[in-house]
């Protein structure tokens, strides 16, 4: 499939600028036929839409939307490195959810990123995934998402 940038437009989305790293790393690296993104926070125009733990400070629905933003930020990193049209398929997504006590809805939160990938890539967006609850994330973000995609050389 091609036309991923066109598909984003159809969805009413545009790729944001690549989020600058908050520490000593790069947004994405290519190794052979694969691109690995660094963990992407839900930064929008340099800030987080909300901070804190999901289930106490942030609702699961808000966190799901932020996971979607993380996914969009990861796509921007991929596009800047190799071009989004080079993606053959999404291989793996890992989502980290800063979870309040007793919160167990991590899979539903990370669906925000997974559903975005399905909307953009169709069949090629189906992927393996982990959704992990954690105590803290950088900048007190509620969610962080990283991914691995296979690309054409």
């Amino acid at each position: 499939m091609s036309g991923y940038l066109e598909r984003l437009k159809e969805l009413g989305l545009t790729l944001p600028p690549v989020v600058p790293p908050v520490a000593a790393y790069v947004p994405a690296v290519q190794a052979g036929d694969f691109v690995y993104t660094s963990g992407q926070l839900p930064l929008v125009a340099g800030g987080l839409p909300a901070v804190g733990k999901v289930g106490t400070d942030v609702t699961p629905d808000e966190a799901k939307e932020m996971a979607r933003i993380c996914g969009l930020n990861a796509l921007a990193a991929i596009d800047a490195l190799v071009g989004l049209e080079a993606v053959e398929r999404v291989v793996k997504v890992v989502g980290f959810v800063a979870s309040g006590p007793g919160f167990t809805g991590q899979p539903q939160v990370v669906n925000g990123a997974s559903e975005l990938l399905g909307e953009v890539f169709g069949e090629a967006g189906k992927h393996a995934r982990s959704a992990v609850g954690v105590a803290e994330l950088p900048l007190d973000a509620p969610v962080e998402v990283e991914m691995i995609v296979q690309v054409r050389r």
Side-chain angles (χ1 to χ4, degrees):
M1 181 178 176
S2 63
Y4 299 136
L5 292 171
E6 186 61 35
R7 181 67 184 134
L8 280 170
K9 285 182 191 173
E10 290 170 7
L11 294 167
L13 300 171
T14 56
L15 288 177
V18 176
V19 174
V22 298
Y25 60 89
V26 295
V29 172
Q30 183 174 4
D33 295 339
F34 297 92
V35 171
Y36 300 76
T37 71
S38 295
Q40 299 293 312
L41 300 177
L43 290 164
V44 177
L48 292 168
V51 295
K53 307 280 185 290
V54 180
T56 55
D57 308 307
V58 177
T59 69
D61 286 340
E62 291 170 324
K64 181 178 179 181
E65 181 58 32
M66 284 187 270
R68 184 177 177 88
I69 294 167
C70 292
L72 201 57
N73 287 342
L75 294 181
I78 293 164
D79 186 59
L81 185 66
V82 299
L84 204 59
E85 302 302 337
V87 174
E88 285 190 5
R89 72 164 298 121
V90 180
V91 177
K92 173 90 183 211
V93 171
V94 180
F96 304 95
V97 180
S99 301
F103 181 73
T104 59
Q106 294 84 5
Q108 290 73 29
V109 168
V110 180
N111 276 350
S114 294
E115 291 168 2
L116 169 71
L117 297 172
E119 292 168 14
V120 173
F121 297 108
E123 266 311 293
K126 291 184 178 178
H127 53 272
R129 190 181 86 179
S130 299
V132 182
V134 298
E136 302 287 339
L137 287 169
L139 308 180
D140 201 22
V143 62
E144 179 176 343
V145 173
E146 63 183 50
M147 64 180 72
I148 303 167
V149 298
Q150 184 177 16
V151 295
R152 288 181 281 286
R153 288 187 139 198

